[in-house]
Amino acid sequence: KVQYLLKEDIKEYIEMQKVITEVKVVKNIAISKGLQTKIYRREDLAKIADTLLFFNDIELSFVIAKTANNITSISGRSIGKKSIANILSRIGGGGDKMGGAAQFENLPISKVSEKLNQAIKEEE
Protein backbone atom coordinates (compact mmCIF):
# COMPACT_ATOMS: atom_id res chain seq x y z
CA LYS A 1 0.00 0.00 0.00
CA VAL A 2 2.84 2.40 0.81
CA GLN A 3 4.40 1.85 -2.61
CA TYR A 4 1.07 2.65 -4.24
CA LEU A 5 0.67 5.86 -2.24
CA LEU A 6 4.19 7.06 -3.08
CA LYS A 7 3.89 6.59 -6.83
CA GLU A 8 4.60 9.56 -9.08
CA ASP A 9 3.89 10.31 -12.70
CA ILE A 10 7.00 9.31 -14.65
CA LYS A 11 6.78 12.28 -17.04
CA GLU A 12 6.59 14.75 -14.14
CA TYR A 13 9.50 13.00 -12.44
CA ILE A 14 11.63 13.27 -15.58
CA GLU A 15 10.80 16.98 -15.86
CA MET A 16 11.89 17.48 -12.25
CA GLN A 17 15.16 15.64 -12.93
CA LYS A 18 15.83 17.96 -15.88
CA VAL A 19 15.65 20.95 -13.56
CA ILE A 20 18.03 19.26 -11.13
CA THR A 21 20.57 18.69 -13.93
CA GLU A 22 20.70 22.46 -14.50
CA VAL A 23 21.96 23.10 -10.96
CA LYS A 24 24.80 25.50 -10.31
CA VAL A 25 26.64 25.16 -7.01
CA VAL A 26 28.57 28.05 -5.48
CA LYS A 27 30.13 27.39 -2.11
CA ASN A 28 27.42 25.42 -0.33
CA ILE A 29 24.43 26.85 -2.22
CA ALA A 30 22.65 25.02 -5.04
CA ILE A 31 20.55 27.07 -7.46
CA SER A 32 18.59 25.49 -10.27
CA LYS A 33 16.32 27.05 -12.88
CA GLY A 34 13.41 25.73 -14.87
CA LEU A 35 12.88 26.38 -18.55
CA GLN A 36 11.58 29.87 -19.36
CA THR A 37 8.98 28.31 -21.68
CA LYS A 38 7.51 25.81 -19.18
CA ILE A 39 5.04 26.35 -16.35
CA TYR A 40 5.87 24.33 -13.21
CA ARG A 41 3.74 23.55 -10.18
CA ARG A 42 4.86 25.28 -6.97
CA GLU A 43 4.93 21.95 -5.16
CA ASP A 44 7.37 20.61 -7.77
CA LEU A 45 9.74 23.51 -7.09
CA ALA A 46 9.59 22.64 -3.39
CA LYS A 47 10.28 18.95 -4.10
CA ILE A 48 13.27 19.84 -6.26
CA ALA A 49 14.66 22.21 -3.60
CA ASP A 50 14.25 19.44 -1.00
CA THR A 51 16.02 16.95 -3.27
CA LEU A 52 19.00 19.25 -3.77
CA LEU A 53 19.66 19.17 -0.02
CA PHE A 54 20.40 15.43 -0.25
CA PHE A 55 23.74 16.10 -1.95
CA ASN A 56 27.06 16.43 -0.13
CA ASP A 57 28.08 19.91 1.01
CA ILE A 58 24.78 21.56 0.01
CA GLU A 59 23.37 23.65 2.87
CA LEU A 60 20.96 25.89 0.94
CA SER A 61 18.99 25.21 -2.21
CA PHE A 62 16.86 27.40 -4.43
CA VAL A 63 14.77 26.59 -7.48
CA ILE A 64 13.55 29.36 -9.78
CA ALA A 65 10.87 28.75 -12.41
CA LYS A 66 7.68 30.08 -13.90
CA THR A 67 4.54 28.98 -12.04
CA ALA A 68 2.08 30.91 -14.22
CA ASN A 69 2.29 32.85 -17.47
CA ASN A 70 3.37 36.06 -15.74
CA ILE A 71 4.65 34.68 -12.41
CA THR A 72 8.19 33.53 -11.64
CA SER A 73 8.64 31.79 -8.29
CA ILE A 74 11.48 30.76 -6.02
CA SER A 75 11.36 27.87 -3.60
CA GLY A 76 14.18 27.69 -1.06
CA ARG A 77 15.28 25.11 1.50
CA SER A 78 17.98 24.99 4.17
CA ILE A 79 19.53 22.33 6.38
CA GLY A 80 19.28 24.88 9.17
CA LYS A 81 22.66 26.59 9.36
CA LYS A 82 21.37 29.67 7.51
CA SER A 83 17.84 31.02 7.35
CA ILE A 84 15.94 30.91 4.08
CA ALA A 85 13.56 33.56 5.45
CA ASN A 86 16.43 36.02 5.97
CA ILE A 87 17.46 35.69 2.33
CA LEU A 88 14.04 35.65 0.69
CA SER A 89 12.65 38.47 2.84
CA ARG A 90 15.26 40.75 1.23
CA ILE A 91 13.45 40.32 -2.10
CA GLY A 92 9.85 40.29 -0.92
CA GLY A 93 9.47 36.62 -0.06
CA GLY A 94 9.05 34.85 3.22
CA GLY A 95 9.26 31.62 5.13
CA ASP A 96 11.21 30.36 8.09
CA LYS A 97 14.71 29.10 8.81
CA MET A 98 14.23 25.83 6.91
CA GLY A 99 12.14 26.87 3.91
CA GLY A 100 10.42 29.66 2.08
CA ALA A 101 9.27 31.08 -1.21
CA ALA A 102 8.89 34.24 -3.23
CA GLN A 103 6.88 35.21 -6.31
CA PHE A 104 7.44 37.93 -8.89
CA GLU A 105 5.07 39.28 -11.51
CA ASN A 106 6.29 39.96 -15.03
CA LEU A 107 9.95 39.16 -14.32
CA PRO A 108 11.86 36.56 -16.32
CA ILE A 109 13.81 33.82 -14.58
CA SER A 110 17.10 35.58 -15.31
CA LYS A 111 16.06 38.77 -13.47
CA VAL A 112 14.70 36.81 -10.51
CA SER A 113 17.98 34.91 -10.40
CA GLU A 114 19.89 38.21 -10.25
CA LYS A 115 17.69 39.38 -7.34
CA LEU A 116 18.29 36.10 -5.49
CA ASN A 117 22.05 36.22 -6.03
CA GLN A 118 22.14 39.78 -4.68
CA ALA A 119 20.13 38.80 -1.61
CA ILE A 120 22.48 35.87 -0.96
CA LYS A 121 25.51 38.20 -1.19
CA GLU A 122 23.89 40.67 1.19
CA GLU A 123 23.16 37.91 3.69
CA GLU A 124 26.80 36.75 3.74
Side-chain angles (χ1 to χ4, degrees):
K1 288 184 179 183
V2 171
Q3 289 292 332
Y4 179 76
L5 292 173
L6 294 176
K7 287 194 177 284
E8 293 186 51
D9 181 83
I10 189 123
K11 290 178 183 175
E12 289 177 16
Y13 182 80
I14 290 169
E15 288 302 315
M16 287 175 39
Q17 295 304 310
K18 287 179 185 177
V19 175
I20 290 171
T21 64
E22 296 301 316
V23 70
K24 303 288 186 242
V25 178
V26 177
K27 297 181 184 178
N28 57 356
I29 303 170
I31 301 174
S32 196
K33 301 175 197 168
L35 297 173
Q36 184 68 38
T37 56
K38 181 169 173 39
I39 305 294
Y40 297 84
R41 298 180 315 165
R42 287 189 314 252
E43 56 267 28
D44 289 338
L45 301 188
K47 285 181 185 178
I48 295 165
D50 284 335
T51 300
L52 290 171
L53 290 181
F54 289 138
F55 297 101
N56 291 334
D57 303 321
I58 303 298
E59 295 181 6
L60 299 170
S61 66
F62 297 93
V63 180
I64 307 167
K66 294 188 69 94
T67 53
N69 282 331
N70 63 337
I71 302 290
T72 301
S73 299
I74 300 174
S75 184
R77 295 293 183 272
S78 171
I79 62 170
K81 291 183 178 180
K82 291 187 180 179
S83 172
I84 289 295
N86 288 353
I87 294 169
L88 292 181
S89 66
R90 293 178 179 277
I91 56 176
D96 57 31
K97 187 171 186 173
M98 306 299 281
Q103 290 186 335
F104 304 89
E105 266 190 78
N106 301 314
L107 279 180
I109 291 171
S110 60
K111 293 294 182 193
V112 172
S113 179
E114 289 173 14
K115 285 178 163 284
L116 175 61
N117 286 323
Q118 183 62 38
I120 290 168
K121 285 178 187 172
E122 290 172 6
E123 188 61 24
E124 292 176 346

